[in-house]
Amino acid sequence: MLALGKLLELTLAGREPAQKIQLTVDGVQMRWLSEGALEVRPPEARDNGADVLLSSGIHGNETAPIELADRLLHGIARGEIKPRTRILFLFGNPEAICRGERYLEQDVNRLFNGRHEQSIGPEAMRAAELEQLARTFFSVPGRSRLHYDLHTAIRGSKIEQFALYPFKEGRQHSRAELARLRAAGMEAVLLQNKTSITFTAFTYEQLGAESFTLELGKARPFGQNQGVDVSRLETRLKQIIEGNEPATEGLDGLKLFSVAREIIKHSDAFTLHLPADVENFSELEKGYLLAEDIAKTRWVIEEEGARIIFPNPKVKNGLRAGILIVPTTDVGLA
Ligand SMILES: O=C(O)CCC(=O)N[C@@H](CCC(=O)O)C(=O)O
Ligand SMILES: [Zn+2]
């Protein structure tokens, strides 16, 4: 296998490859760009005009997505996967991946769309670098742009695999992209209704990509991801990369949700009234007191069919400590 196929090994060892550009037997170019960043370019005659950004390890302890990206890279480097798309592989937070931690000082996925400029530290610098790498990759006009940012969640989930679809004023969510996600094994999609500071929000809002955060199961250490079944996503990703995706029809039972409210933690007095092991998508009754915070702030459930995802009282003040979601329909899709 070409040495650059071992991007993960290089990244974990903190090594820069001696040879930055390598060609597979089929003439696919692999180019090391920076720590944890590698671009794949098909020969011009095979290029189908699609650009695909696959990021993983934005949170260092979410290893199943990193292992998936590593397998795809190996397949390309061995000439077993024959790309027709350009691909940018990014391992988001190398130091946190080495330590098996979500982040070192700050959550990288809260530092995009300009937030890194108001901050200092390793993660702020990395977010700026990731934005620049994505901006350069998605700068070629006339090509389609797709970004999947692969994650696993802190807790178990009543709906195992789901996607979050960012929001931009005046831009409609795409039915075709949702059908593609369904075919890739996603069971639900959360349609965001306001702008955000995550990586996919950045590529969606500023770079015009179709962008999704994909949640694939529960976060576990390297080598312990047997319970995370990424087979459907992996198959679909290979098909996207090789330009031989079967046609997708309809949403086929895909559950759609919208955000009712984001629960923001304002102070150290924030208390979340949920068991520590509560699963994502747990339903909450109307009238339930979900959280309390400074100055007698109370979060009481008012919405019919409300569910909670990503409840986390340990986030820093000012950040999202959970999302209250409600079922929605496909009416607004393009
Ligand atoms: O399990 C959790 O609480 C967090 C899992 C995770 O990392 N989710 C992403 C979602 C990003 C988005 O909103 O698109 C995150 O919180 O960064
Ligand atoms: Zn994550």
Side-chain angles (χ1 to χ4, degrees):
M1 184 185 22
L2 295 179
L4 289 181
K6 297 185 179 171
L7 178 69
L8 180 58
E9 271 181 48
L10 286 168
T11 308
L12 293 177
R15 284 209 335 262
E16 205 167 297
Q19 214 182 336
K20 305 253 179 333
I21 298 182
Q22 293 185 322
L23 283 181
T24 69
V25 280
D26 301 308
V28 174
Q29 188 193 80
M30 303 183 86
R31 185 158 66 106
W32 188 89
L33 302 172
S34 168
E35 194 180 18
L38 185 130
E39 185 203 61
V40 174
R41 208 180 262 261
E44 225 175 292
R46 272 221 324 254
D47 191 331
N48 71 0
D51 289 342
V52 179
L53 166 50
L54 291 177
S55 49
S56 58
I58 285 285
H59 295 129
N61 62 333
E62 300 177 4
T63 61
I66 301 171
E67 290 176 350
L68 166 56
D70 189 45
R71 283 194 297 276
L72 292 174
L73 257 169
H74 285 192
I76 295 167
R78 289 197 181 104
E80 293 160 5
I81 298 176
K82 301 181 193 317
R84 296 176 71 92
T85 62
R86 285 173 72 232
I87 313 159
L88 176 61
F89 285 96
L90 292 177
F91 293 130
N93 192 340
E95 188 55 39
I97 297 172
C98 289
R99 295 198 201 170
E101 312 252 337
R102 186 171 169 86
Y103 58 81
L104 310 177
E105 293 176 10
Q106 293 188 81
D107 189 335
V108 183
N109 219 15
R110 303 292 180 272
L111 288 168
F112 292 95
N113 270 332
R115 278 296 175 99
H116 57 80
E117 286 154 20
Q118 303 160 20
S119 197
I120 52 165
E123 270 109 0
M125 283 167 67
R126 185 62 174 168
E129 186 181 25
L130 292 172
E131 281 193 358
Q132 194 47 48
L133 286 160
R135 194 183 290 285
T136 304
F137 180 67
F138 283 139
S139 66
V140 187
R143 300 178 64 87
S144 68
R145 298 174 183 178
L146 180 66
H147 177 193
Y148 286 160
D149 185 30
L150 310 178
H151 288 248
T152 45
I154 295 170
R155 56 192 59 254
S157 186
K158 294 195 183 300
I159 297 177
E160 191 72 9
Q161 299 199 333
F162 59 99
L164 295 97
Y165 200 166
F167 170 84
K168 184 178 182 181
E169 193 65 54
R171 185 168 170 195
Q172 273 181 301
H173 290 131
S174 155
R175 184 181 292 272
E177 289 300 337
L178 294 192
R180 180 183 248 174
L181 286 174
R182 183 71 191 111
M186 297 305 117
E187 300 153 81
V189 177
L190 174 60
L191 306 171
Q192 302 275 17
N193 47 27
K194 67 180 191 57
T195 58
S196 177
I197 51 177
T198 61
F199 195 16
T200 51
F202 167 73
T203 56
Y204 186 77
E205 291 172 34
Q206 297 205 35
L207 307 183
E210 285 294 357
S211 309
F212 301 88
T213 305
L214 303 190
E215 295 289 347
L216 304 176
K218 194 169 174 188
R220 302 225 180 271
F222 281 121
Q224 296 180 29
N225 289 308
Q226 296 77 8
V228 183
D229 181 6
V230 294
S231 54
R232 285 184 70 185
L233 175 63
E234 193 159 346
T235 301
R236 199 72 192 185
L237 285 173
K238 282 185 196 153
Q239 291 166 344
I240 292 173
I241 289 169
E242 295 196 311
N244 58 11
E245 252 186 305
T248 42
E249 281 170 33
L251 302 187
D252 190 24
L254 186 71
K255 298 178 188 74
L256 299 179
F257 294 92
S258 66
V259 177
R261 280 183 279 166
E262 282 198 338
I263 313 300
I264 306 296
K265 173 176 171 179
H266 292 297
S267 76
D268 293 345
F270 182 83
T271 319
L272 192 63
H273 299 299
L274 287 174
D277 61 352
V278 67
E279 292 186 305
N280 286 326
F281 291 93
S282 291
E283 290 185 31
L284 300 172
E285 298 268 300
K286 262 174 132 176
Y288 184 78
L289 175 61
L290 176 63
E292 291 173 273
D293 207 341
I294 199 162
K296 297 191 178 145
T297 307
R298 285 161 58 88
W299 302 86
V300 179
I301 304 301
E302 294 157 4
E303 300 82 357
E304 200 66 62
R307 296 178 183 223
I308 186 81
I309 60 167
F310 305 147
N312 185 357
K314 293 185 186 146
V315 296
K316 294 195 174 156
N317 294 346
L319 293 183
R320 177 175 92 189
I323 314 180
L324 263 185
I325 60 172
V326 286
T328 191
T329 66
D330 62 354
V331 170
L333 302 177

